[in-house]
Amino acid sequence: MDNNELINKIKELKEKKNAVIVAHNYQRPEIQDIADFTGDSLELSRKCAAAKENMIVFCGVKFMAETAKILSPQKKVLLPKIDAGCQLADSITPAEVDEYRKNYPDAVIVGYVNTTAEVKAKLDYCVTSANAVDIVKKINSKKIVFLPDKNLGLWVKKNIPEKEIIIHNGRCYVHHKFLKEDVLNARKFHPDAVILAHPECSPEVLTLSDVIASTSGMIKYVKESSAKKFILATEEGIIHRLQKERPDAEFYSLGNAQICFNMKLIKLIDVYNSLEKEVVEINLSDEIIHKAKLPIDRMVAL
Ligand code: 13P
Ligand code: SF4
C-alpha cells in the first residue's frame, strides 16, 4: 500500500470504528496531517475526554496515552507503538516518590505530566510545562518537591525564589542537548529572529532565549507574532505545525535539529494496524486511574 492508499484506509477505518486520532506536536509530519487534533500532551488528553468518539488512537508517547486513559477511563485508548516511551518519564519510579515523601514529610510533591500513571498516583499535584510556574506559585506550601525534570524545576525555582524547591535529577536528553553556544551563534547569524525555548532546556539556554514556552505556548506565540523568523529550541517536529500556521515565516531549529526517537516511532502503517486490530490498548487498574486523576484534578482546580 502506498501512503495515499494507507491514508484512505485509515480514514475509512476511523469512521467505521468511531475513532479519533490525536497527534503530539513532535510526531512525523504525515501523522500530524492525518490527526483530528494536534497539540501538547495535556491539551490532547482533554480533547480525547471531550470527544464524542469512544476509541482514541494516541500518536505520541506512552505517558501521554496513559494520561488520556486517566481522563477518559470509559474509552478505548490505543497507542500504535507500545515501546514509544519517554526517558524523562522513566527517570523517576514510584519507590523514589515514596522516598521523597519520607525524607520531606512537610513538602508538597509536584510532578510534571511527563510521568508514568503509577508515579502520578503518588503525586499531590500534576503540572505541565505550560503552567508549572503558576501552579507552584499558587500551592499553599513553602516547601515543594519537584520531579522529574531538573531543568523545568530550576526554571520554576528561578521564577519563585521565595519557595524551597527540592528538584529530582531527571532530564530530557533531547532538550538538554541544546547549548548556550547554539543560542549565541543563532543571535550572531540571525539577529532578526525570535528564539523560543522549551523549559526542558538547560538554564543557560533559557536565560539567553526570548520566549520560554510549552509546545502549545510556542504555537500560540508564533501565530500572534508579527516577526518573520523564528528559531526553536525544542524537538524539530514542531516546525511542521508552525510552518502550517505561518506559511509566510521562516523556521529553524537551534543548532543541530534535535529528534526524540520515541516520538518518531509511529508511522502511517502503525496507525492503520492500530485501528484495524485495536492495538495496543492502554489498560490501567481502577485504583491507579482514580489515584492518578487526583493530582490532575487539583491542578485544574487551582
Ligand atoms: P509539551 O507538553 O510542551 O508538548 O511537551 C511535551 C514533551 O514531551 C516535551 O519534551
Ligand atoms: Fe520525553 Fe524528551 Fe521525548 Fe518529550 S522530547 S517525549 S520529554 S524524551
Side-chain angles (χ1 to χ4, degrees):
M1 255 190 286
D2 68 18
N3 271 4
N4 283 338
E5 272 177 272
L6 260 179
I7 289 166
N8 288 334
K9 291 254 182 228
I10 288 170
K11 283 183 183 156
E12 269 171 37
L13 268 176
K14 198 168 72 93
E15 291 304 313
K16 193 171 132 197
K17 303 242 173 166
N18 189 28
V20 64
I21 301 176
V22 301
H24 187 264
N25 295 320
Y26 298 158
Q27 288 286 294
R28 290 171 180 271
E30 64 276 20
I31 300 294
Q32 295 191 32
D33 291 345
I34 50 137
D36 297 292
F37 302 106
T38 50
D40 72 16
S41 46
L42 199 74
E43 210 177 9
L44 291 179
S45 294
R46 291 208 174 117
K47 287 271 186 218
C48 295
K52 59 184 188 330
E53 292 84 356
N54 44 33
M55 185 185 286
I56 292 153
V57 180
F58 204 112
C59 300
V61 294
K62 194 170 174 200
F63 80 82
M64 297 179 180
E66 285 184 346
T67 309
K69 182 72 186 172
I70 292 163
L71 295 183
S72 313
Q74 74 292 355
K75 295 186 182 176
K76 190 176 243 188
V77 179
L78 306 172
L79 179 64
K81 282 274 181 168
I82 200 63
D83 46 346
C86 164
Q87 268 122 325
L88 176 58
D90 292 339
S91 71
I92 179 108
T93 63
E96 285 173 299
V97 185
D98 289 341
E99 269 301 289
Y100 278 120
R101 199 154 308 269
K102 201 170 96 199
N103 295 338
Y104 303 97
D106 52 341
V108 167
I109 303 194
V110 177
Y112 191 20
V113 67
N114 294 42
T115 42
T116 63
E118 286 75 15
V119 165
K120 279 194 186 72
K122 290 184 176 277
L123 301 175
D124 295 316
Y125 283 86
C126 181
V127 295
T128 73
S129 52
N131 66 17
V133 173
D134 278 357
I135 298 288
V136 174
K137 214 176 258 177
K138 284 182 188 163
I139 291 173
N140 191 15
S141 168
K142 249 188 109 55
K143 203 187 255 187
I144 303 282
V145 168
F146 190 94
L147 56 91
D149 189 47
K150 185 159 183 180
N151 288 339
L152 180 60
L154 289 170
W155 172 243
V156 171
K157 195 169 181 153
K158 186 175 175 189
N159 281 278
I160 317 172
E162 65 279 14
K163 293 208 180 189
E164 185 190 341
I165 306 184
I166 300 108
I167 307 172
H168 186 69
N169 200 16
R171 280 207 176 92
C172 163
Y173 77 99
V174 179
H175 288 87
H176 199 63
K177 278 191 203 142
F178 293 108
L179 302 174
K180 172 183 164 189
E181 291 69 32
D182 295 330
V183 189
L184 296 174
N185 277 334
R187 288 263 181 247
K188 195 159 130 200
F189 294 109
H190 301 281
D192 52 337
V194 179
I195 301 180
L196 299 100
H198 194 280
E200 288 170 18
C201 294
S202 69
E204 297 76 38
V205 167
L206 296 184
T207 305
L208 293 170
S209 298
D210 298 311
V211 180
I212 319 300
S214 66
T215 59
S216 51
M218 288 178 179
I219 292 162
K220 185 170 183 292
Y221 180 89
V222 166
K223 273 165 88 172
E224 291 168 3
S225 167
S226 57
K228 294 276 187 201
K229 201 189 269 188
F230 302 91
I231 297 180
L232 285 308
T234 193
E235 213 272 351
E236 58 85 46
I238 198 170
I239 291 182
H240 178 70
R241 169 81 192 269
L242 292 172
Q243 198 73 76
K244 273 168 102 171
E245 299 286 353
R246 284 283 312 273
D248 62 311
E250 285 172 49
F251 297 94
Y252 301 96
S253 279
L254 184 73
N256 294 321
Q258 299 301 341
I259 293 176
C260 172
F261 291 102
N262 281 313
M263 279 285 182
K264 307 300 186 203
L265 286 176
I266 299 171
K267 303 197 178 111
L268 284 175
I269 186 71
D270 303 309
V271 178
Y272 173 76
N273 287 333
S274 179
L275 273 166
E276 196 197 36
K277 300 181 189 133
E278 303 188 10
V279 289
V280 176
E281 185 173 358
I282 300 291
N283 282 309
L284 299 170
S285 72
D286 290 346
E287 189 191 352
I288 289 290
I289 289 179
H290 172 71
K291 287 188 178 165
K293 193 168 176 289
L294 293 174
I296 302 177
D297 288 344
R298 287 189 201 112
M299 166 184 81
V300 173
L302 261 194

